[in-house]
Amino acid sequence: MYIQKMLRWLLFFWLAAVIFFAFAQPAPQQQIGETSRIFYFHVPCAWVCVLAFFMTAFFSVRYLLKKEITLDAKAVLSAQLGLIFCILATLSGSIWARFAWGAFWNWDPRQTSIFLQLLIYFAYFSLRGSIGETEKRATFSAAYAILAFLTVPFLIFVVPRVTASLHPSDTVVGKEAEFNLGPTVRWIFFASLAGFTFLYYQLYRLGARIKVAELGRKETP
Amino acid sequence: MNHNYVVMAVVLLVWAALFFYLLRLEKKVDRLLKNEKKEV
């Protein structure tokens, strides 16, 4: 318990330091200018969204194998977190687009693909909302979550790269898979990536405790 | 005043508010789970 408390405060000061350096250091992309600082938050949000949807598929596979209702609860929790971070990635990207391209939304392939991603996972929750019986709901949504995750790599990584998109595509990794980030930018970026990943874990941990406690309350006579 | 620092301050405040909200939520969960153990 003491370690968890220490880790939590470490997370707090870690992300506070990332925020400080993200704004105190020179802008990461000189041609794009000051607005490129949003990259330190936009890309980690998109990364956590992919990670969370992967965990949803992971818990869904385990649910179909073991039929333990807590696994279904964890899958739903991870999907909720994934949706939140997907929305944050969409909003931060749209804010940047307003400055870089002159409009919040212009159906750029990158915007269209993340919009489709949002629809796919909103549909996951409406599917769950449409089935009353617990076991059936868990089974149907588990199958859906596994199939839905197949679209994630395609929509997040492939579509924006094979279509003519205004969205920067080699900010982090270049064509020959070399890092395009300067040393300072690289350090701040990966610290932010690690911080956001740990934030997801902390949110997931807290949410899982609440959901398991709720299930425990339902099962006791 | 460099408005980068204004934006930084706002983002830091949002992060602090979210963090302390999560701390309070975790304490509430701890209390609920402790009470539940006493009831059983």
Side-chain angles (χ1 to χ4, degrees):
Chain A
M1 200 55 186
Y2 180 73
I3 292 172
Q4 279 299 336
K5 205 162 273 189
M6 281 303 104
L7 287 175
R8 227 170 289 138
W9 282 101
L10 170 66
L11 171 66
F12 175 67
F13 290 109
W14 182 284
L15 278 182
V18 163
I19 292 165
F20 175 78
F21 286 109
F23 286 99
Q25 287 293 315
Q29 272 263 357
Q30 293 309 315
Q31 306 95 336
I32 297 176
E34 289 299 319
T35 59
S36 61
R37 293 176 191 279
I38 208 165
F39 149 84
Y40 289 126
F41 309 102
H42 174 66
V43 176
C45 281
W47 149 252
V48 168
C49 150
V50 172
L51 173 66
F53 289 154
F54 169 76
M55 293 307 291
T56 302
F58 170 74
F59 286 123
S60 298
V61 167
R62 287 187 61 206
Y63 172 78
L64 293 178
L65 295 173
K66 294 187 177 174
K67 293 290 182 183
E68 276 173 31
I69 200 66
T70 50
L71 291 168
D72 173 59
K74 289 176 180 175
V76 171
L77 170 63
S78 200
Q80 287 165 340
L81 289 172
L83 209 52
I84 289 168
F85 280 97
C86 196
I87 290 166
L88 289 175
T90 307
L91 289 179
S92 52
S94 176
I95 289 167
W96 181 77
R98 170 66 182 77
F99 292 101
W101 304 341
F104 285 109
W105 199 268
N106 59 0
W107 295 107
D108 178 271
R110 177 70 73 151
Q111 291 176 328
T112 311
S113 54
I114 203 159
F115 180 71
L116 282 176
Q117 197 68 84
L118 285 168
L119 290 183
I120 287 168
Y121 276 89
F122 275 124
Y124 170 81
F125 290 101
S126 57
L127 170 68
R128 288 187 66 87
S130 63
I131 303 171
E133 201 253 307
T134 308
E135 172 111 12
K136 203 169 160 190
R137 177 176 60 214
T139 307
F140 273 64
S141 55
Y144 182 92
I146 294 163
L147 293 173
F149 184 70
L150 299 181
T151 69
V152 172
F154 184 69
L155 286 175
I156 301 279
F157 297 109
V158 174
V159 164
R161 282 185 166 76
V162 299
T163 51
S165 167
L166 291 171
H167 186 284
S169 59
D170 49 10
T171 318
V172 179
V173 179
K175 299 276 184 297
E176 279 78 39
E178 82 287 2
F179 277 118
N180 275 348
L181 305 174
T184 311
V185 174
R186 189 181 311 175
W187 176 82
I188 301 170
F189 172 67
F190 283 110
S192 182
L193 214 60
F196 270 74
T197 305
F198 195 55
L199 174 62
Y200 161 72
Y201 168 69
Q202 285 290 335
L203 292 171
Y204 166 78
R205 225 190 102 266
L206 178 58
R209 290 183 69 207
I210 295 171
K211 286 215 180 264
V212 169
E214 279 169 1
L215 287 171
R217 183 172 285 263
K218 274 186 209 143
E219 274 153 21
T220 46
Chain B
M1 171 73 160
N2 179 343
H3 43 257
N4 270 358
Y5 288 101
V6 173
V7 178
M8 178 206 289
V10 169
V11 176
L12 280 171
L13 281 174
V14 168
W15 167 234
L18 171 68
F19 183 77
F20 286 105
Y21 167 72
L22 290 174
L23 273 195
R24 275 188 57 222
L25 190 59
E26 180 112 36
K27 281 198 179 92
K28 199 179 286 184
V29 169
D30 289 341
R31 213 177 319 122
L32 280 173
L33 290 177
K34 214 169 282 172
N35 294 344
E36 200 160 283
K37 275 185 190 132
K38 277 184 208 151
E39 281 168 22
V40 174

